[in-house]
Amino acid sequence: MNLLELREITYKYPLAECPALKNINLSIQEGEFITLLGLNGSGKSTLARLIAGFFKPDTGSLVRKEGSVPGIVFQQPKDQIVASVVERDTAFGPQNLDMTPAEIELRTIECLSLTGLSDRASSRTFELSLGQTQRLAFSGILALFPDLLILDEVTAMLDPASREEIIKLVQIWNEKGHTVVQVTHDVDEALRADRIIVMEKGSIIFDGPTESFVQNQEIVRKIFDDEGSLYREPLTQDELEKRGVSLKAENLSFSYPGREIFKNLSFSLRKGSLTALTGPSGCGKSTLFECLSGLNCEYSGKIHAEDRPVLALQESEASLFATYAADDVAFGAKNRGLQGKDLLGRVKNSMEKAGLPFKDFADRHTFELSGGEKRKLSVAGLIALDSSIMIFDEPTAGLDPQSRKIMLSTLQSLAREGKTVLFSTHRMDEADAADVHLDWLSLTAEKDPAAAVKENAPSAEMQGSLIEMPPLKNASILMSLSKAGDALTAPPQIPSSPISRLSASLKVALFALLGILSIIPCPLWASGILLLACATYAALAKYPAKKALSAIAKILPWFAFFAIIQFAFYSDGSDSRELFRWKWFTVTQVKLENLMKTFIRAPSIILLIGTFIFSTEEREILDGMTAILSPLAKIKIPVRYAVLVTGIIFRFIPLLLDEMRGIVKTQIIRGAFANARGLGKLKILLPLFVPLILQTFRKAQNLADALTARYFS
């Protein structure tokens, strides 16, 4: 029986020049297991989203079996997370299906166990690694028991063991009669399906049984080229030993509160070598890379290097903040003083090396690029820095086989040019193509610190003129953003208090009342009463004073800065008594009162928002809004959208801070804050708001899609 049928489907993204899908004809039967293949940018993810019902085709028709509900795991897993705690996120979908608390708990435990996240049930979702986030996204969709399960490269960030577990889980799911459509670039995953569909430039060029695909060698070579054909032979041990050391790590340790990531880790990197780091998803590879590149201030141990290492982040989305591809690549090189023809030549060369021909991609909007193309662009931006030590975090994740081959060949070429290159990967064939393979489990095995340093210590002659690399000074900006996010994030377990025990509707009503009072004009004495009310609200909710003071301390200096601007350049437009004048700088009674109100109201609002998030679960926010607005729903006013917007706002508080952290990381790596001091930092921070606003709209749409996929209505 047909579960889904597409007839002459065409779809073009707004502002795009060419259609992403062209004349698609496709039928999907109940119980089928289908693999969707194609090179990066061929239209696979677009087709997957269209099948899932996230947008309508421009032309053609889509016929779905009545009552069937699809579930999709997105290519970017963070776009699918709707709650701030792991178990709450998995439970969100079943809650929307009006299950009993016992059923919700059982399904949550079952799905977290299946995806290997049961030990992280109480963890905050934004603390997970990208691989763990991918498993959480999978868990949240599995908890819905969808009729059609669509997987958009769900194993791209997973280690081999975790990938195999997910693949087996998908097979078991299919054997129970559920329909599965998976998008993948992995040949082993592809061949486990019963049917294979191949796309090229938005069109289907093959659709048939897996056996027929295997026999069609022309198509097979087009999709799964010989991955080893461009690889160079790794350096021999003798060749490595003749090379000097460009980076040495000694007894590095890092921990989150209550959780150790790594301890007494020591190793060295040789000049002009390519080193691969492998290890389980979420083990701490990305954290180590941030320590090596100076982005992380909270590690212990020492790092010596001949130059500051630069890092291409694992999350390529956060690495792109310019409108056009070539401008994004040029950003770092321009900050390093390159101009004119030299800058243009560097950008062209970097894009070509990353597999993005300049003539085809220079003027492309970054938001139009596919996931794989965005990853290539982030790599090109790092290559353009021309640093002697380059670190790439999962540079081949999400790339098709041909692109992986080109990317790995590029890393080898950089090493042969004299660069020291370190990259992480989950693919053993890529690790084997490197000159050195560091295995995380062996690297972090319990050792005596002195013995570990001695074992990894090259001779003094080989070390050359290495200098100690402390964390970057401007990495403190990242710590400030993390603390701000922590101050406005609910704890994994909300403590019992008079506020937390209120019903959802009363919690929302109390918050709304205090919120309205905090923004309406009122005298100075009333502002003081409001601050007292908000402080009482925080105390009754057991909101930690340390959190509140930390958030207030970060925000008030900005209010002070803008108050000084107001005193200097703006008139209060009244005849109020002048208290002080120095040239054009005046202080009047009204200005002073307004300043005092600001310094009272700002802490009130911070306390209010922080306490509400601290004492209220995401689901309670939505339930409370729904209950309060239910009378309006009876007269056909669509209150669902107000509820949705409210949920998005509170989900966005940590989400946008995390997004800003990614943008700031990239700007720091590419030298944006290198010479900025005082107001100069403010000037450089201003360009952040344009990409952040664009990311906000994109995240809002993705989050709305995620809520829809979880049956929220």
Side-chain angles (χ1 to χ4, degrees), residues 220-266:
V220 171
R221 281 193 297 271
K222 182 175 296 219
I223 303 301
F224 300 113
D225 200 3
D226 178 12
E227 296 187 34
S229 60
L230 288 183
Y231 295 171
R232 292 174 171 82
E233 286 295 322
L235 296 173
T236 64
Q237 189 62 37
D238 289 340
E239 289 173 320
L240 280 170
E241 291 178 356
K242 293 176 183 177
R243 296 171 181 260
V245 172
S246 59
L247 183 145
K248 183 178 67 169
E250 297 181 45
N251 295 330
L252 295 186
S253 300
F254 182 86
S255 298
Y256 289 114
R259 186 164 65 96
E260 182 180 278
I261 304 301
F262 51 81
K263 183 179 180 182
N264 296 329
L265 190 153
S266 299

Side-chain angles (χ1 to χ4, degrees), residues 607-680:
L607 278 174
L608 176 61
I609 295 175
T611 303
F612 182 64
I613 294 174
F614 179 81
S615 59
T616 311
E617 294 185 0
E618 289 86 350
R619 186 65 210 182
E620 288 183 304
I621 296 174
L622 303 179
D623 287 346
M625 285 284 295
T626 302
I628 290 173
L629 298 176
S630 58
L632 298 178
K634 292 179 180 179
I635 56 175
K636 306 296 184 179
I637 293 178
V639 300
R640 176 180 180 274
Y641 298 105
V643 174
L644 178 61
V645 169
T646 302
I648 286 174
I649 288 172
F650 285 98
R651 167 64 180 146
F652 263 27
I653 291 173
L655 190 66
L656 291 184
L657 283 171
D658 188 51
E659 198 71 29
M660 182 176 278
R661 271 175 51 84
I663 296 172
V664 171
K665 281 180 187 177
T666 303
Q667 293 219 359
I668 290 174
I669 290 166
R670 300 192 191 180
F673 301 98
N675 301 312
R677 297 292 181 272
L679 292 179

